[in-house]
Amino acid sequence: MELTSSQELILWLGTAGMAAGAAIIAAIGFSLPNHQRHHVTASFFVCAIAACAYLAMATGSGVWMVDDQPVYYARYLDWLVTTPLLLLGLLTVGFAPLTGGGEAGRTRNGLIGWVLGADVLMIATGLVASLRGDSSDRWIWYAISLVFFLLVLWGLFGPVKQHLDAKMTPLYTKLLGILTILWVIYPILWVLGTEGTGAIGLTGEILVFAVIDVLSKVGFGILLVLGIKSMSRSHAAA
Ligand code: RET
């Protein structure tokens, strides 16, 4: 499929935005104390992976034609890996340090399994919905994906909140609020875009996805590492 020049430009800007985000997050990481640097890795790789996915799309790959509509499966491969990493980054910020050994660690792993498992299914079933083309059963897959999305949010707003570190709770709550607002836009855009009802055209869809992708990866990652940085500063001062 031939991209129009404005579609190609948006995808190149997306590539540049993600690459710049990875570089900025790495740079902030180097200013963190050693024991806090692990907070940077997930956010860095989220942006690095997305930069590669955007580069693939800008250079014309990562797309299949289904019922005469382009389906950018590269997005879903990106999301399949980056959304679990985003969630893992958020959980790492929030969770209290483990005490009591054995059972507490297993409970923690169970919660991670819940949130990440539901998230992977949300993206995988969303990809199936996209590949169903004009077939009306795509809405069944869409509904299944939506159920798993709600399970992700339930995990993050419910059980995970009982395992937070008191001093990390404000940062966790702020990041979770931002994540929820940004992530809710995806299923809405899917309905409006070419894979759903076609109310907005392909260029509009590529543009809005690029903007929310950059906000939910670069913006979210920068806020996360800056949040950690300001907390380690205030603890050093205390
Ligand atoms: C789909 C369509 C089916 C229903 C739902 C969806 C949700 C997608 C989400 C994606 C988040 C992506 C992020 C990317 C970062 O760059 C698959 C669109 C519920 C929530 C955060």
Side-chain angles (χ1 to χ4, degrees):
M1 189 203 66
E2 279 296 304
L3 288 165
T4 66
S5 54
S6 50
Q7 291 165 357
E8 197 180 323
L9 175 67
I10 299 165
L11 292 169
W12 277 111
L13 289 174
T15 310
M18 294 297 183
I24 293 168
I25 288 169
I28 301 172
F30 284 114
S31 72
L32 290 178
N34 266 342
H35 70 283
Q36 296 284 24
R37 286 191 184 170
H38 66 84
H39 281 294
V40 175
T41 47
S43 301
F44 171 82
F45 282 111
V46 162
C47 295
I49 292 166
C52 296
Y54 266 90
L55 181 61
M57 293 190 283
T59 52
S61 60
V63 59
W64 274 320
M65 295 305 287
V66 180
D67 292 336
D68 291 331
Q69 287 291 345
V71 173
Y72 280 95
Y73 66 88
R75 281 190 200 298
Y76 293 86
L77 294 185
D78 165 338
W79 297 347
L80 208 51
V81 183
T82 57
T83 54
L85 283 175
L86 283 164
L87 294 171
L88 198 57
L90 176 67
L91 292 174
T92 308
V93 163
F95 276 146
L98 279 175
T99 50
E103 214 39 46
R106 278 195 277 270
T107 307
R108 192 69 55 85
N109 288 342
L111 286 173
I112 297 173
W114 167 342
V115 175
L116 268 57
D119 175 77
V120 166
L121 273 169
M122 170 187 86
I123 301 296
T125 51
L127 173 61
V128 179
S130 298
L131 295 176
R132 294 305 297 140
D134 293 340
S135 151
S136 56
D137 68 30
R138 71 188 190 285
W139 294 109
I140 297 176
W141 287 103
Y142 179 88
I144 296 173
S145 174
L146 211 51
V147 169
F148 287 115
F149 183 31
L150 294 178
L151 268 178
V152 172
L153 294 179
W154 177 16
L156 294 172
F157 279 97
V160 169
K161 284 219 162 166
Q162 275 133 46
H163 295 266
L164 296 182
D165 187 342
K167 70 175 190 301
M168 298 307 253
T169 303
L171 180 58
Y172 174 88
T173 309
K174 173 179 152 188
L175 291 171
L176 177 57
I178 294 169
L179 180 143
T180 306
I181 293 167
L182 290 170
W183 286 34
V184 162
I185 301 173
Y186 286 86
I188 298 173
L189 184 58
W190 196 96
V191 172
L192 298 176
T194 52
E195 284 136 323
T197 57
I200 56 173
L202 184 62
T203 308
E205 178 183 317
I206 291 178
L207 177 66
V208 184
F209 266 135
V211 172
I212 50 170
D213 274 348
V214 169
L215 290 176
S216 58
K217 289 186 163 102
V218 177
F220 181 87
I222 291 178
L223 285 178
L224 187 156
V225 289
L226 284 180
I228 295 292
K229 186 174 165 139
S230 75
M231 288 196 52
S232 52
R233 254 210 222 111
S234 56
H235 279 102

